[in-house]
Amino acid sequence: MTLVRSDRRSSGAYDLVSAEAWDEIIELSYDADLVAGALEALARSTAHWTLVSSVSVYASNAEPDADEDAILVEPTDLDGYAHAKVAAERATAEAVGDRLLIARPGLIAGPGDRSDRFSYWVSRLAAAPEEAVLVPNAQDRYVQFIDVRDLAGWLISAGLRGLTGIYNAVGSEYELSTVLLAAARVAGHTGELIAAEDEWLTAHRVNCWAGPRSLPLWLPRTDSAFARRSRSRFVAAGGTERTLQDTLEDVLADERARGLDRER
């Protein structure tokens, strides 16, 4: 294996690799300049191109089991994550054509994740094993994630097979209550889970999903279908997933190694 390290914003970013013929490119960026630069330098010399996009590209989060043909947002503001992802998809499709695989994961989880979006609950419950822990009201709420190891394995396999098209690379749909209770079991938590209503959380300046003062995995009920995307095309293309418990156990082991009391 040869590692070529380069600043993708520099004028000669691809000088050391642009003359090669490549079997596969996997693009993770959605920055318009980075996407365009890579396409200009490498699209013509690559047999297969994979773009990792996101289920955030969809215009609606109110349609359970919506598939890859659902309407996308119109990319009018490239400072917005979803807009930039759609723009990246369109630019790549124009440059690469029928050699393109677009993978649209949702929440990506697993050991090593620093975002705290999935790992928060099992580590929070492990840090207070006998204490009461605040959770959002889980009724009519869902969780859909893919372990990063399963996603990476599928991306590599898909590239080797020359798979093309668009796929929601997502895991199974779980009820939020199922995930919270599984996290409690893995963490050895025996305290009470105290459910708070949305209005109370909002009044106390608690935010949804991610970022400061947030409760991860908590989404407005109007956006509940964000975590209920169709994965049938992904499964038919060889997509697999490890169990919820396996991911939670590995995530907790990683969290313990980094310190349950670390700043988040």
Side-chain angles (χ1 to χ4, degrees):
M1 178 184 293
T2 300
L3 171 65
V4 179
R5 185 170 183 172
S6 178
D7 178 355
R8 292 180 64 180
R9 295 194 183 280
S10 67
S11 58
Y14 301 96
D15 287 352
L16 294 177
V17 296
S18 58
E20 301 288 338
W22 296 96
D23 297 322
E24 170 76 0
I25 298 290
I26 300 178
E27 173 65 275
L28 304 178
S29 180
Y30 55 93
D31 180 289
D33 293 335
L34 300 186
V35 169
L39 289 169
E40 181 179 358
L42 302 173
R44 290 182 295 276
S45 59
T46 301
H48 184 269
W49 195 287
T50 297
L51 174 67
V52 179
S53 185
S54 168
V55 297
S56 294
V57 298
Y58 296 113
S60 172
N61 289 321
E63 304 167 13
D65 206 38
D67 65 16
E68 292 84 351
D69 297 322
I71 296 171
L72 308 184
V73 301
E74 279 301 314
T76 57
D77 177 12
L78 296 190
D79 289 331
Y81 178 73
H83 291 230
K85 282 289 192 182
V86 173
E89 288 191 10
R90 292 181 180 178
T92 307
E94 182 177 353
V96 178
D98 61 5
R99 293 171 289 142
L100 176 62
L101 166 65
I102 295 177
R104 292 174 178 163
L107 175 63
I108 302 173
D113 177 25
R114 311 248 171 195
S115 75
D116 291 326
R117 292 174 302 170
F118 182 86
S119 59
Y120 171 82
W121 288 111
V122 69
S123 55
R124 175 72 182 91
L125 293 162
E130 299 177 355
E131 299 175 25
V133 172
L134 180 74
V135 300
N137 185 321
Q139 183 178 2
D140 299 325
R141 288 200 159 93
Y142 303 88
V143 176
Q144 191 173 43
F145 71 93
I146 186 165
D147 191 297
V148 66
R149 296 163 293 182
D150 297 327
L151 176 59
W154 182 78
L155 291 173
I156 293 169
S157 170
L160 290 171
R161 290 179 281 142
L163 185 68
T164 59
I166 304 173
Y167 299 83
N168 290 335
V170 295
S172 296
E173 171 189 318
Y174 293 97
E175 293 184 351
L176 176 57
S177 59
T178 298
V179 174
L180 293 175
L181 291 174
R185 287 194 300 273
V186 168
H189 182 264
T190 58
E192 184 180 3
L193 299 182
I194 300 179
E197 299 299 330
D198 291 13
E199 296 78 10
W200 187 92
L201 292 170
T202 301
H204 286 78
R205 299 184 294 111
V206 179
N207 299 315
C208 291
W209 191 247
R213 294 187 57 80
S214 65
L215 285 182
L217 306 185
W218 175 44
L219 285 169
R221 288 192 172 88
T222 52
D223 289 327
S224 65
F226 174 83
R228 306 182 73 184
R229 291 281 167 191
S230 171
R231 64 190 300 263
S232 58
R233 191 181 298 182
F234 172 63
V235 172
T240 60
E241 61 181 333
R242 64 199 65 210
T243 67
L244 171 61
Q245 178 160 328
D246 283 346
T247 296
L248 284 170
E249 288 177 350
D250 291 347
V251 164
L252 181 56
D254 174 65
E255 287 286 328
R256 289 191 188 279
R258 288 192 280 144
L260 295 179
D261 58 349
R262 64 185 172 84
E263 184 176 349
R264 296 179 181 274

Tab-separated table of all heavy atoms in Angstrom, residues 29 33 91 101 150-151 157 166 198 204 225 241 244 256:
chain	number	residue	atom	x	y	z
A	29	SER	N	-16.083	13.732	0.430
A	29	SER	CA	-16.343	15.156	0.614
A	29	SER	C	-17.635	15.592	-0.076
A	29	SER	O	-18.079	14.993	-1.058
A	29	SER	CB	-15.182	15.978	0.052
A	29	SER	OG	-15.427	17.365	0.223
A	33	ASP	N	-15.729	22.666	-4.105
A	33	ASP	CA	-14.405	22.815	-4.703
A	33	ASP	C	-13.625	21.501	-4.677
A	33	ASP	O	-12.953	21.146	-5.655
A	33	ASP	CB	-13.614	23.902	-3.986
A	33	ASP	CG	-14.192	25.294	-4.199
A	33	ASP	OD1	-14.868	25.492	-5.226
A	33	ASP	OD2	-13.963	26.171	-3.345
A	91	ALA	N	-22.983	16.852	-9.733
A	91	ALA	CA	-21.708	17.109	-10.402
A	91	ALA	C	-20.992	15.807	-10.721
A	91	ALA	O	-20.404	15.638	-11.801
A	91	ALA	CB	-20.839	18.006	-9.530
A	101	LEU	N	-21.456	4.905	-8.379
A	101	LEU	CA	-22.255	4.386	-7.263
A	101	LEU	C	-22.441	5.517	-6.269
A	101	LEU	O	-21.464	6.132	-5.821
A	101	LEU	CB	-21.537	3.220	-6.581
A	101	LEU	CG	-22.073	2.783	-5.207
A	101	LEU	CD1	-23.483	2.239	-5.325
A	101	LEU	CD2	-21.150	1.753	-4.567
A	150	ASP	N	-19.715	-2.046	8.824
A	150	ASP	CA	-20.584	-2.658	7.823
A	150	ASP	C	-20.660	-1.797	6.569
A	150	ASP	O	-20.665	-2.314	5.446
A	150	ASP	CB	-21.985	-2.875	8.404
A	150	ASP	CG	-21.981	-3.848	9.570
A	150	ASP	OD1	-21.163	-4.789	9.560
A	150	ASP	OD2	-22.788	-3.648	10.499
A	151	LEU	N	-20.732	-0.493	6.761
A	151	LEU	CA	-20.767	0.420	5.620
A	151	LEU	C	-19.478	0.329	4.813
A	151	LEU	O	-19.501	0.200	3.581
A	151	LEU	CB	-20.988	1.855	6.095
A	151	LEU	CG	-20.946	2.936	5.021
A	151	LEU	CD1	-22.001	2.707	3.946
A	151	LEU	CD2	-21.105	4.323	5.641
A	157	SER	N	-16.728	-3.863	-1.178
A	157	SER	CA	-17.282	-4.960	-1.967
A	157	SER	C	-17.993	-4.439	-3.210
A	157	SER	O	-17.834	-4.987	-4.313
A	157	SER	CB	-18.258	-5.772	-1.115
A	157	SER	OG	-18.988	-6.699	-1.898
A	166	ILE	N	-27.944	4.080	-7.153
A	166	ILE	CA	-28.125	4.823	-5.908
A	166	ILE	C	-28.717	3.897	-4.856
A	166	ILE	O	-29.678	3.164	-5.129
A	166	ILE	CB	-29.054	6.039	-6.118
A	166	ILE	CG1	-28.502	6.940	-7.228
A	166	ILE	CG2	-29.215	6.825	-4.824
A	166	ILE	CD1	-29.438	8.073	-7.611
A	198	ASP	N	-41.742	16.623	24.744
A	198	ASP	CA	-41.062	17.556	23.855
A	198	ASP	C	-41.170	18.996	24.344
A	198	ASP	O	-40.186	19.753	24.308
A	198	ASP	CB	-41.651	17.472	22.442
A	198	ASP	CG	-41.328	16.153	21.768
A	198	ASP	OD1	-40.867	15.219	22.447
A	198	ASP	OD2	-41.537	16.065	20.543
A	204	HIS	N	-36.799	23.998	28.212
A	204	HIS	CA	-35.537	23.995	28.959
A	204	HIS	C	-34.328	24.052	28.018
A	204	HIS	O	-33.224	23.703	28.406
A	204	HIS	CB	-35.465	22.767	29.867
A	204	HIS	CG	-36.363	22.864	31.063
A	204	HIS	ND1	-37.719	22.635	30.995
A	204	HIS	CD2	-36.110	23.203	32.357
A	204	HIS	CE1	-38.265	22.800	32.190
A	204	HIS	NE2	-37.312	23.150	33.040
A	225	ALA	N	-39.587	10.023	9.854
A	225	ALA	CA	-39.264	9.132	8.736
A	225	ALA	C	-37.821	9.282	8.272
A	225	ALA	O	-37.365	8.498	7.436
A	225	ALA	CB	-40.218	9.375	7.565
A	241	GLU	N	-25.733	-6.140	8.177
A	241	GLU	CA	-25.551	-5.378	9.399
A	241	GLU	C	-25.307	-6.313	10.564
A	241	GLU	O	-25.872	-7.401	10.630
A	241	GLU	CB	-26.765	-4.496	9.681
A	241	GLU	CG	-28.054	-5.275	9.876
A	241	GLU	CD	-29.257	-4.394	10.137
A	241	GLU	OE1	-29.081	-3.281	10.664
A	241	GLU	OE2	-30.374	-4.833	9.814
A	244	LEU	N	-27.680	-4.911	16.876
A	244	LEU	CA	-27.695	-3.716	17.714
A	244	LEU	C	-26.819	-3.929	18.946
A	244	LEU	O	-26.029	-3.049	19.324
A	244	LEU	CB	-29.137	-3.403	18.131
A	244	LEU	CG	-29.340	-2.306	19.179
A	244	LEU	CD1	-28.820	-0.958	18.687
A	244	LEU	CD2	-30.832	-2.211	19.560
A	256	ARG	N	-15.399	3.591	27.023
A	256	ARG	CA	-14.678	3.383	28.286
A	256	ARG	C	-13.191	3.659	28.100
A	256	ARG	O	-12.546	4.251	28.976
A	256	ARG	CB	-14.888	1.955	28.781
A	256	ARG	CG	-16.300	1.661	29.293
A	256	ARG	CD	-16.332	0.323	30.005
A	256	ARG	NE	-17.670	-0.098	30.345
A	256	ARG	CZ	-18.353	0.322	31.407
A	256	ARG	NH1	-17.811	1.219	32.224
A	256	ARG	NH2	-19.585	-0.128	31.665
